[in-house]
Amino acid sequence: MTIIENAAARKILDSRGNATVEVEILTESGYGTAAAPSGASTGEHEVMSFPEKGVDASLKVFEDEVLPQLIGMDASEQRFLDALLHQIDGTPNFSRMGGNMAVATSLAVAKAAASAYSMPLYKYVGGALSNSIPKPLANVIGGGRHAIGGTDIQEFLVISQADKVSDCVFGNARTHKIVGQMLKEKLPGHAIGKGDEGAWVAALSNEDALALQVEACDRASSELGFKVLPALDMAASEYFREGKYHYKDKSFTPEEHVDFVAGLVEQFNLHLVEDPMDQNDYQSYVSLTDAVGSRCIIVGDDLFVTNRQRLEKGIEMGAANAVLIKPNQIGTLTDTLETVELAKLNGYKTVISHRSGETSDDTIAHLGVAFGSYAIKTGAVGGERTAKLNELIRIEEDLEA
Ligand code: PGA
Ligand code: ZN
């Protein structure tokens, strides 16, 4: 039933127009396909998305070395298969095969096995008792690496607090729309566009963007009848150089930056802050978590890169209270699951996440439910983002049936 009969990999487009890969797996009675996304503000400790020679070199490793081994294997032997991917690659960071090829293969195998058992992926990975759906976390104003001319801070996010995930999805989309209307009123005659993740991009200071975001949250909350809370992904590694955090109009030492971020959390009542410090600045994470961690979710993305060892160090030091989970940062479902389990054991929340370069693949919606994640960061609008949001709506319906 779950024996792999055939497999294929091909080069496809991502939402930024770059090449990525998708993998198809066919078993005796199952079928699975998965495509890998790509980041723009990638952490330096992530596995490599593709080998130096690019996507074609990655496809050649699949054809010559992975495919012959896959045929005849049991797709339900996930740990064995993921270990085999590491073994074939033979490097510590998937630099020969490409982490994107590894993750697309790993997830396609899981989906083929789930399909052979006639189970949705969330149930196959999470077990019969998985029933909590992550809250969608949506980018409404963008800057940094995702939008030239925008804010220094990469993502101004909102998270609706309705009981039903479908209400949250529409709540976030409504807030995105309100932000768009407010921007047009505030900046008449100015060009206003959208960044890589569908968030609005405008010539605003970080503080003006925050104030506008918070007002949009308040307006949306009173219109919708449930709270819509503000959050940030600061992607601070992108502007940390020579020991300082450099914004367009100011620079901070690490100690000053802790105070700056803690001040933003207080002033704007931020529910969650991702990557507030540089990816190697564990100590400042500790200071910030000491200062505001009891009232704000502090998420490590570039800090932890879904890597169990890096999360272990963070837990020992008290460097955050949540971890972003991006399967292609680490390369296989097994590695991803080990990081999620470590987080759960230690009371860290998990936030499953898209990348800025995405495809219509909706696997992370299932993984977010399987992992019992607190939130799923996957934008508010745009086909490659709504693919995940609409799948969450379907999963909710399935869970309620
Ligand atoms: P990336 O950014 O996908 O471009 O790495 C997303 C993030 O920083 O969370
Ligand atoms: Zn991030």
Side-chain angles (χ1 to χ4, degrees):
M1 198 162 77
T2 49
I3 300 300
I4 297 173
E5 291 189 330
N6 207 351
R10 68 178 61 83
K11 180 158 70 173
I12 61 164
L13 271 178
D14 78 7
S15 57
R16 260 196 290 257
N18 294 329
T20 187
V21 289
E22 77 174 4
V23 171
E24 290 184 285
I25 301 282
L26 187 69
T27 73
E28 286 159 7
S29 63
Y31 169 79
T33 181
S38 292
S41 70
T42 46
E44 70 182 51
H45 304 286
E46 293 187 26
V47 300
M48 271 181 77
S49 305
F50 289 107
E52 255 162 34
K53 289 192 178 142
V55 177
D56 291 331
S58 184
L59 284 163
K60 187 161 169 33
V61 173
F62 182 90
E63 287 296 326
D64 295 350
E65 303 173 55
V66 179
L67 181 61
Q69 299 249 34
L70 280 179
I71 310 282
M73 269 186 61
D74 186 340
S76 67
E77 298 283 345
Q78 188 74 40
R79 277 183 195 276
F80 180 76
L81 178 115
D82 288 342
L84 182 70
L85 291 173
H86 278 291
Q87 192 193 327
I88 293 173
D89 176 77
T91 73
N93 61 348
F94 278 119
S95 57
R96 211 172 69 77
M97 174 186 300
N100 272 19
M101 182 59 84
V103 84
T105 307
S106 180
L107 295 175
V109 164
K111 289 168 94 172
S115 143
Y117 294 127
S118 300
M119 282 170 102
L121 184 71
Y122 75 84
K123 212 169 270 183
Y124 174 67
V125 176
L129 299 181
S130 43
N131 70 346
S132 82
I133 306 191
K135 291 207 177 315
L137 179 59
N139 193 354
V140 293
I141 304 175
R145 283 270 182 127
H146 297 167
I148 298 161
T151 47
D152 305 301
I153 293 178
Q154 184 177 282
E155 297 168 33
F156 297 75
L157 301 150
V158 300
I159 179 164
S160 287
Q161 301 289 311
D163 292 340
K164 286 191 62 144
V165 80
S166 48
D167 290 334
C168 294
V169 166
F170 283 97
N172 288 354
R174 178 68 192 137
T175 313
H176 181 275
K177 213 179 268 294
I178 291 173
V179 168
Q181 285 161 356
M182 288 174 67
L183 283 171
K184 281 173 208 153
E185 284 158 24
K186 190 178 163 67
L187 302 167
H190 284 69
I192 296 168
K194 285 185 191 164
D196 286 348
E197 295 180 349
W200 298 105
V201 181
L204 285 177
S205 69
N206 299 301
E207 285 80 0
D208 283 352
L210 257 164
L212 193 138
Q213 172 198 18
V214 169
E215 194 186 327
C217 284
D218 289 345
R219 284 196 202 175
S221 301
S222 45
E223 180 187 312
L224 296 164
F226 53 78
K227 286 239 166 295
V228 182
L229 303 176
L232 291 179
D233 178 1
M234 300 186 75
S237 303
E238 297 296 330
Y239 43 88
F240 183 75
R241 286 185 309 277
E242 288 147 16
K244 282 197 163 185
Y245 292 87
H246 297 278
Y247 291 81
K248 285 192 196 91
D249 54 347
K250 51 188 175 262
S251 297
F252 294 118
T253 63
E255 294 76 20
E256 288 166 347
H257 199 242
V258 170
D259 291 344
F260 174 65
V261 179
L264 294 180
V265 170
E266 303 280 340
Q267 186 186 346
F268 296 101
N269 228 339
L270 299 175
H271 180 66
L272 174 154
V273 178
E274 178 182 332
D275 277 357
M277 302 294 159
D278 177 64
Q279 58 205 330
N280 296 308
D281 193 358
Y282 273 88
Q283 201 47 56
S284 296
Y285 266 94
V286 174
S287 308
L288 184 72
T289 304
D290 283 346
V292 294
S294 59
R295 51 185 300 231
C296 180
I297 301 169
I298 312 285
V299 191
D301 169 17
D302 292 348
L303 177 70
F304 297 137
V305 291
T306 318
N307 179 305
R308 194 165 52 84
Q309 282 81 26
R310 290 189 65 85
L311 177 61
E312 212 155 37
K313 177 172 171 184
I315 289 167
E316 273 165 25
M317 292 178 70
N321 53 31
V323 52
L324 207 76
I325 300 294
K326 291 169 168 168
N328 89 317
Q329 279 182 328
I330 194 70
T332 72
L333 181 55
T334 302
D335 290 289
T336 307
L337 191 65
E338 284 178 359
T339 302
V340 167
E341 280 170 354
L342 180 70
K344 278 187 178 169
L345 263 176
N346 288 279
Y348 271 46
K349 287 185 163 60
T350 64
V351 178
I352 188 125
S353 173
H354 66 170
R355 303 301 306 247
S356 49
E358 264 296 339
T359 70
S360 53
D361 185 290
D362 58 17
T363 311
I364 60 165
H366 285 262
L367 294 182
V369 178
F371 297 160
S373 293
Y374 168 70
I376 176 166
K377 190 170 83 151
T378 188
V381 296
E384 70 281 7
R385 318 288 154 190
T386 54
K388 285 87 168 154
L389 296 170
N390 289 337
E391 187 67 0
L392 280 178
I393 292 173
R394 293 182 201 106
I395 294 174
E396 177 168 72
E397 203 176 285
D398 189 40
L399 282 171
E400 284 172 355

